[in-house]
Amino acid sequence: MASSGIRLTGVERFAIGSADTRAALERLRAARPAALLVWGIGPELAVIARDRVRIGWNVPLLGGWTVGMANFIDGAGPAGEGALMTQTFIQEGGLSVKNASSSPVRK
């Protein structure tokens, strides 16, 4: 991150099955970051999204592909609106002869 000119303002961890992340979010908010980058799985990310709204923290929520999981979308509800995620896309290298005929990507 530093080599890209991005300053990390804090790191918090949460356990799988966490039901309340407000204390960790409050500590992060105190550092005044420009965004909240979270790596985890859907249910816990939903808790973080809801808790972010509960504490009134209006900062962009960024995450990995798991932000697109149904258990994040359903669990976060309106608190997940606007969350951004990364997504891997393999244009051609991922196609094999076996699955190329059924793939929507054609040459």
Side-chain angles (χ1 to χ4, degrees):
M1 291 179 72
S3 66
S4 296
I6 299 170
R7 184 175 65 91
L8 183 63
T9 58
V11 175
E12 292 286 335
R13 288 175 170 56
F14 56 89
I16 292 178
S18 292
D20 187 341
T21 60
R22 288 176 290 179
L25 292 175
E26 290 285 8
R27 288 189 295 272
L28 291 168
R29 180 166 67 170
R32 302 180 57 88
L36 177 61
L37 174 61
V38 184
W39 233 251
I41 54 176
E44 289 74 25
L45 295 178
V47 170
I48 291 167
R50 291 191 313 265
D51 285 348
R52 181 180 59 96
V53 169
R54 283 187 187 124
I55 67 171
W57 191 19
N58 187 20
V59 65
L61 178 62
L62 314 171
W65 66 269
T66 55
V67 171
M69 293 176 70
N71 53 15
F72 169 76
I73 295 166
D74 296 341
E81 287 293 322
L84 300 172
M85 66 178 214
T86 59
Q87 180 64 47
T88 302
F89 178 75
I90 302 171
Q91 185 171 349
E92 293 178 28
L95 295 179
S96 69
V97 173
K98 178 180 174 185
N99 67 11
S101 62
S102 63
S103 171
V105 178
R106 304 237 188 257
K107 289 187 177 186

